[in-house]
């Protein structure tokens, strides 16, 4: 038996800091139904999650860096980092509208017209518009330049035909950030356009796909002669690809900035859960080296995140270096999930409620973690980016 | 005071001096070159012959040493020039100038009668010997403290053991100073390994773009490109981790430094092994210097007690209660 002080000893943010404000808000608003470390049945409904996310905006937890004119809080990446630390350390649910806040919003800000920014951006933060991302297609997953969905100019605007897949959250979204082709398929990156498509437009058919964790968030989206107004075009007709890749490189660096602390929080939960029973504590002791390696990875991940934050504050381009945190985090987190799954699979049958909650959470993390090296650019794509754009490796003598 | 100085400015100087050291006759001659350039006393106080700069200025210096396979115990000398200054400024100054060659026996305690893992101990004038109470003595070599050759993996700065046959005399560092020295050693070792692995990666990437097999260069193969990309990720992870760990406002600096060192030690070895694989049969030859990088990184891993420290971190982790969100969970162990 190891003697330790049962009092928790986590670092408390400085009074009056943005981190302290964020922590206080979460403590006041995160209900048991919403907590990811509790397995209540039934858990929070979609509407409860939407309401919670809208409240986060009012509380200053989202839209931190967005300009005040567009509903944001007009602060810096430093406050964004502080808030994300607290979000990560807590067992808050993942955002319902992450595509809106982390992808569509920044793209609209980069290429949208002023009227689009004033109309669309506040609705993202207020959760009036949940967004989905219509990029991947059956024949264009990682290789988006090969996408085939067509946008044809008509008298009414643009007529869209094609099929999207792996469109997370499409069945609950009000808007789709659609990447479609106005030119010929052989033009590759040229002639790609971005649209803000209302999901209630006639001709859109959404079919849910059940993913390996049993969830039905993934969707196929079919566009059959869908008419999209010129007013919903984002940027000029040839600007779609350039805008998407430019924004994606920054987003890869700044989105889900809470990930290193969420990773740390999951380790904390695993440890503190196992401390609730001498038998599970004994199991945990057998994994002390692997556990240390996971905690080392968390610290190293923070190094990647902060390096990019420093560069953003200095006004430097992120470019392909956004691949470092994505690649490092996804693989390190999968290693943790594998270890955690192995540990909880050894829990005794008569485990207490805290251990049952822990087991359920770690099983969920393990299964959903399989997607982490696939979405937002697979591991193989990230490695290609590093080889080509950072190491600048030749392919021929 | 340091507003107009940037640690990066030391990179070129350090690389040039390390290059010059390659043609120096022995460790003493290398020490003189390093001392003259101010590289040994980079963090030592000015009144003890140093430059009085913060620890991050030593990072490019040790990185260059790792890259350049420097046959000199620079990590130990930099640490001792600083740590000794309040106790014996004269001796600290001689270490900083390169006149006196000092090393550290990283393994064993004086009470055991034998200490080990002292890089270039055979050529050292002084060796820091750790004691069971946490303090340490910087003893002069010879007489009561005699160097003994031991099988050494690192061929550029081979380690020695020391037999202790009498009372230890010399300047004493108290336990707090030794703890600081050990902590700063983790930083310098991280920088050293980062430099060494960066050089391995450069050698492997160059070779992969030069060597052709089956009608195409090695780097045309995705499996090679991805291997090198992973190694690049590893090197960037070391550098970004170290940069963060040395920030004034880092949360839990001790953990950040230790974790970065432990992660770097493991990853550095992996990058060297990977480079040897890219070189194929040539990588297994004495002529290609990759084995020297691997050897020196393995040696640093042993000096820094990576395996034991990782287990120690694990022990602390499983006993800790560091997140108030889970504070309601019953605690019975």
């Amino acid at each position: 038996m190891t003697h330790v002080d049962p009092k928790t000893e986590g670092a408390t943010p400085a009074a009056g800091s943005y981190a302290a404000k964020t922590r206080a808000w979460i403590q006041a608003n995160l209900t048991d139904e919403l907590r990811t470390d509790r397995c209540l049945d039934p858990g929070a409904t979609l509407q409860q999650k939407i309401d919670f996310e809208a409240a986060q905006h009012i509380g200053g937890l989202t839209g931190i860096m967005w300009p005040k004119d567009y509903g944001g809080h007009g602060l810096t990446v430093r406050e964004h980092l502080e808030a994300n630390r607290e979000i990560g350390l807590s067992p808050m649910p993942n955002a319902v509208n992450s595509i809106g806040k982390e992808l569509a919003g920044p793209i609209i800000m980069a290429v949208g017209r002023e009227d689009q920014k004033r109309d669309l951006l506040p609705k993202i933060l207020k959760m009036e518009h949940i967004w989905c991302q219509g990029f991947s297609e059956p024949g264009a997953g990682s290789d988006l330049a090969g996408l085939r969905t067509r946008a044809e100019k008509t008298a009414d605007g643009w007529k869209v035909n094609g099929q999207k897949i792996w469109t997370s959250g499409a069945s609950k979204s009000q808007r789709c950030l659609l990447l479609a082709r106005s030119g010929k398929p052989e033009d590759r990156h040229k002639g790609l356009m971005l649209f803000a498509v209302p999901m209630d437009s006639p001709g859109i058919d959404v079919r849910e796909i059940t993913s390996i964790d049993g969830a039905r968030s993934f969707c196929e989206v079919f566009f059959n002669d869908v008419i999209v107004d010129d007013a919903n075009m984002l940027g000029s007709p040839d600007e779609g690809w350039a805008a998407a890749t430019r924004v994606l490189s920054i987003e890869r660096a700044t989105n889900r900035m809470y990930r290193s602390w969420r990773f740390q929080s999951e380790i904390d939960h695993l440890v503190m859960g196992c401390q609730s029973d001498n038998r599970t504590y004994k199991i945990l002791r057998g994994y002390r080296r692997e556990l240390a390696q996971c905690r080392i990875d968390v610290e190293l991940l923070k190094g990647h995140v902060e390096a990019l934050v420093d560069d953003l504050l200095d006004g430097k381009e992120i470019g392909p270096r956004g691949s470092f945190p994505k690649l490092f985090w996804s693989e390190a987190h999968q290693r943790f999930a594998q270890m955690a799954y192995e540990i909880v699979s050894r829990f005794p049958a008569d485990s207490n409620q805290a251990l049952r909650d822990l087991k359920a959470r770690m099983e969920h993390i393990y299964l959903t973690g399989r997607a982490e090296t696939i979405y937002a650019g697979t591991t193989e794509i990230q490695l290609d980016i590093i080889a080509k754009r950072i190491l600048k490796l030749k392919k021929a003598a | 005071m340091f507003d107009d100085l940037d640690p990066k400015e030391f990179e070129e100087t350090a690389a040039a001096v390390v290059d010059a050291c390659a043609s120096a006759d022995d460790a003493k001659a290398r020490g003189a070159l390093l001392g003259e350039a101010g590289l040994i006393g980079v963090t030592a106080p000015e009144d003890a012959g140093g430059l009085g700069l913060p620890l991050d200025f030593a990072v490019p210096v040790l990185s260059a040493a790792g890259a350049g396979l420097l046959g000199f115990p620079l990590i130990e000398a930099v640490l001792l020039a600083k740590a000794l200054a309040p106790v014996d400024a004269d001796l600290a100054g001689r270490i900083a100038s390169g006149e006196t060659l000092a090393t550290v026996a990283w393994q064993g305690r004086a009470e055991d009668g034998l200490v080990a893992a002292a890089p270039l101990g055979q050529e050292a004038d002084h060796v820091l010997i750790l004691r069971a109470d946490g303090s340490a003595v910087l003893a002069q070599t010879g007489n009561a403290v005699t160097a003994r050759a031991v099988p050494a993996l690192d061929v550029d700065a081979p380690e020695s053991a020391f037999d202790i046959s009498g009372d230890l005399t010399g300047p004493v560092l108290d336990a707090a100073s030794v703890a600081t020295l050990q902590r700063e050693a983790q930083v310098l070792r991280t920088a050293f390994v980062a430099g060494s692995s960066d050089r391995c990666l450069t050698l492997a990437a160059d070779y992969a773009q030069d060597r052709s097999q089956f009608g195409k260069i090695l780097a045309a193969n995705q499996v090679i490109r991805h291997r090198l990309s992973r190694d690049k990720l590893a090197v960037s992870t070391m550098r970004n981790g170290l940069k963060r760990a040395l920030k004034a406002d880092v949360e839990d600096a001790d953990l950040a430094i230790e974790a970065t060192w432990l992660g770097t030690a493991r990853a550095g070895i992996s990058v060297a092994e990977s480079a040897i694989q890219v070189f194929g049969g040539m990588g297994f030859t004495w002529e290609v210097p990759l084995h020297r990088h691997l050897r020196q990184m393995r040696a640093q891993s042993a000096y820094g007690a990576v395996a034991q420290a990782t287990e120690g971190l694990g022990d602390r982790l499983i006993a800790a209660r560091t997140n108030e969100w889970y504070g309601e969970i019953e605690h019975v162990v």
Side-chain angles (χ1 to χ4, degrees):
Chain A
M1 185 178 290
T2 307
H3 174 73
V4 290
D5 181 354
K7 182 177 168 294
T8 54
E9 50 206 29
T12 305
S17 66
Y18 210 80
K21 181 185 163 192
T22 305
R23 185 179 289 199
W25 188 92
I26 301 170
Q27 284 169 335
N29 291 278
L30 184 64
T31 62
D32 281 357
E33 293 84 13
L34 288 160
R35 288 180 65 137
T36 51
D37 61 334
R38 306 275 163 87
C39 292
L40 299 184
D41 187 17
T45 62
L46 176 62
Q47 192 56 50
Q48 281 176 308
K49 290 179 183 174
I50 289 170
D51 293 345
F52 179 63
E53 219 162 302
Q56 283 176 48
H57 170 52
I58 296 167
L61 276 67
T62 62
I64 294 168
M65 294 191 292
W66 290 21
K68 288 184 175 177
D69 283 351
Y70 309 137
H73 297 288
L75 299 170
T76 71
V77 69
R78 191 49 69 188
E79 285 84 13
H80 181 70
L81 183 67
E82 278 191 45
N84 272 270
R85 175 189 180 279
E86 296 304 319
I87 289 169
L89 285 174
S90 77
M92 265 172 64
N94 285 333
V96 173
N97 201 11
S98 60
I99 296 293
K101 286 179 285 191
E102 295 170 354
L103 188 77
I107 286 178
I108 293 165
M109 242 176 289
V111 302
R113 299 185 312 273
E114 187 59 25
D115 62 302
Q116 287 176 319
K117 293 179 191 176
R118 289 183 183 274
D119 175 40
L120 296 172
L121 293 172
K123 288 175 179 165
I124 292 174
L125 296 175
K126 291 177 188 168
M127 295 296 286
E128 291 171 13
H129 282 176
I130 296 172
W131 283 67
C132 60
Q133 176 187 359
F135 282 19
S136 296
E137 296 183 2
S142 293
D143 181 12
L144 283 178
L147 65 81
R148 306 188 70 82
T149 295
R150 298 265 311 144
E152 193 182 339
K153 189 77 183 93
T154 68
D156 302 327
W158 296 85
K159 185 163 72 179
V160 176
N161 278 287
Q163 180 190 354
K164 296 291 173 179
I165 197 165
W166 317 131
T167 316
S168 297
S171 56
K172 56 178 183 269
S173 295
Q174 284 76 42
R175 287 288 182 281
C176 176
L177 180 68
L178 178 73
L179 193 61
R181 181 177 295 287
S182 60
K184 299 186 290 289
E186 48 275 27
D187 289 344
R188 302 282 293 165
H189 296 122
K190 289 181 185 171
L192 293 177
M193 301 181 63
L194 279 170
F195 295 97
V197 181
M199 287 299 284
D200 57 0
S201 303
I204 293 181
D205 181 19
V206 178
R207 296 178 199 168
E208 291 177 336
I209 301 170
T210 306
S211 49
I212 64 173
D213 58 334
R216 295 176 64 83
S217 173
F218 266 172
C219 296
E220 288 178 288
V221 184
F222 296 87
F223 294 84
N224 297 308
D225 291 339
V226 175
I227 301 298
V228 183
D229 293 343
D230 281 330
N232 284 323
M233 194 169 81
L234 293 171
S236 62
D238 243 348
E239 205 177 13
W241 178 258
T245 51
R246 190 172 67 243
V247 172
L248 278 172
S249 74
I250 298 171
E251 292 312 295
R252 208 168 271 152
T254 58
N255 71 13
R256 305 194 183 181
M257 202 175 265
Y258 59 79
R259 280 188 302 209
S260 47
W261 289 282
R262 179 61 49 79
F263 189 172
Q264 180 178 327
S265 178
E266 289 163 359
I267 296 173
D268 293 341
H269 187 195
L270 180 66
V271 168
M272 292 172 74
C274 287
Q275 289 172 350
S276 69
D277 186 316
N278 278 306
R279 296 170 297 174
T280 52
Y281 192 62
K282 187 180 173 193
I283 294 169
L284 185 70
R285 288 186 61 82
Y287 290 86
R288 61 179 180 158
R289 279 188 76 138
E290 292 91 336
L291 197 68
Q293 192 55 52
C294 291
R295 192 63 182 78
I296 288 167
D297 287 342
V298 168
E299 290 300 300
L300 295 172
L301 176 62
K302 289 176 185 173
H304 279 304
V305 172
E306 290 193 21
L308 295 182
V309 168
D310 289 345
D311 284 351
L312 287 172
L313 287 169
D314 290 345
K316 291 181 188 165
E317 287 266 320
I318 298 300
R321 283 175 300 128
S323 292
F324 287 141
K326 162 65 168 79
L327 180 56
F328 187 84
W329 165 76
S330 57
E331 297 195 333
H333 193 242
Q334 284 187 346
R335 286 194 296 272
F336 162 73
Q338 287 161 348
M339 177 198 68
Y341 184 88
E342 195 171 297
I343 290 171
V344 301
S345 69
R346 297 171 62 178
F347 282 0
D350 60 344
S351 290
N352 61 43
Q353 183 61 45
L355 289 170
R356 290 199 297 276
D357 287 346
L358 175 61
K359 187 169 192 278
R361 187 185 188 191
M362 295 301 146
E363 286 172 348
H364 180 71
I365 287 170
Y366 171 70
L367 280 176
T368 54
R370 303 318 305 166
E372 290 160 358
T373 47
I374 299 170
Y375 65 61
T378 64
T379 290
E380 288 70 25
I381 291 294
Q382 310 298 340
L383 291 169
D384 278 345
I385 290 170
I386 295 168
K388 184 177 176 184
R389 296 180 58 197
I390 296 179
L391 286 170
K392 300 187 189 306
L393 294 178
K394 296 184 294 187
K395 283 193 170 177
Chain B
M1 180 180 178
F2 314 116
D3 289 353
D4 54 345
L5 278 177
D6 185 335
K8 283 191 172 177
E9 291 170 17
F10 274 59
E11 275 178 19
E12 283 186 25
T13 307
V17 176
V18 169
D19 273 355
C21 283
S23 52
D25 288 340
D26 55 21
K28 280 282 173 64
R30 287 187 277 276
L33 288 169
L34 294 161
E36 190 182 1
L39 300 184
I40 302 176
V42 60
T43 58
E46 290 176 87
D47 56 10
L51 299 179
L53 293 167
L55 195 57
D56 53 348
F57 282 81
V59 168
V61 175
L62 271 304
S63 196
L69 296 164
L70 179 69
F72 187 83
L74 188 59
I75 293 172
E76 291 73 13
V78 168
L79 293 169
L80 288 170
K82 181 183 178 190
L84 201 61
V87 181
D88 189 335
D90 181 53
L91 183 52
R94 279 187 277 132
I95 293 171
S97 71
E99 183 187 337
T100 293
L101 201 160
T103 188
V104 178
W106 294 107
Q107 293 173 356
R109 297 291 177 266
E111 290 79 356
D112 302 332
L114 175 71
V115 291
L120 281 177
Q122 298 270 37
E123 299 179 51
D125 305 306
H126 288 78
V127 58
L128 187 76
I129 297 173
L130 307 175
R131 298 196 292 205
D133 65 358
S135 66
V137 184
L138 188 67
Q140 197 162 0
T141 58
N143 297 325
V145 180
T146 50
R148 186 206 299 179
V150 293
L153 194 63
D154 183 359
V155 291
D156 290 288
E159 65 185 273
S160 303
F162 283 91
D163 290 303
I164 303 167
S165 55
D167 290 339
L168 287 178
T169 56
V172 173
L173 298 181
D174 62 23
S177 301
V178 173
T180 302
L181 182 145
Q182 296 270 22
R183 181 175 181 273
E184 295 189 347
Q186 293 180 331
V187 171
L188 302 190
R189 285 194 190 105
T190 302
F192 184 89
V193 170
S196 188
S197 29
D198 208 348
R199 178 60 55 87
C200 291
L201 172 60
T202 301
L203 291 170
D206 289 349
Y207 185 76
Q209 293 175 93
D210 184 52
R211 168 85 169 158
S212 286
Q213 287 285 279
F214 300 105
K216 59 184 179 181
I217 59 171
L218 297 183
N221 297 288
Q222 192 183 61
V223 68
I224 300 289
R225 297 173 74 80
H226 284 191
R227 174 187 282 277
L228 294 170
S229 293
R230 286 191 180 283
D231 295 338
K232 179 64 184 175
L233 171 66
V235 174
S236 299
T237 302
M238 298 171 195
R239 296 213 183 278
N240 287 337
L242 189 53
K243 189 176 166 198
R244 170 178 176 267
L246 289 174
K247 281 184 178 176
D249 60 349
V250 66
E251 179 186 355
D252 198 342
D254 286 349
L255 175 62
I257 287 171
E258 183 180 29
T260 304
W261 158 238
L262 296 177
T264 295
R266 216 169 81 144
I269 289 165
S270 170
V271 170
E273 291 171 346
S274 175
I276 289 171
Q277 183 69 24
V278 170
F279 268 76
M282 283 303 295
F284 192 63
T285 63
W286 191 270
E287 177 192 347
V288 173
L290 293 170
H291 71 100
R292 291 163 62 193
H293 285 281
L294 179 63
R295 287 164 181 272
Q296 69 174 8
M297 285 194 267
R298 279 279 178 200
Q300 289 302 330
S301 179
Y303 303 157
V306 166
Q308 302 94 308
T310 304
E311 286 178 2
L313 175 60
D315 285 338
R316 298 203 304 278
L317 272 175
I318 61 175
R321 295 178 64 76
T322 51
N323 191 320
E324 67 179 35
W325 285 102
Y326 312 113
E328 290 173 17
I329 297 176
E330 194 182 5
H331 180 255
V332 302
V333 295

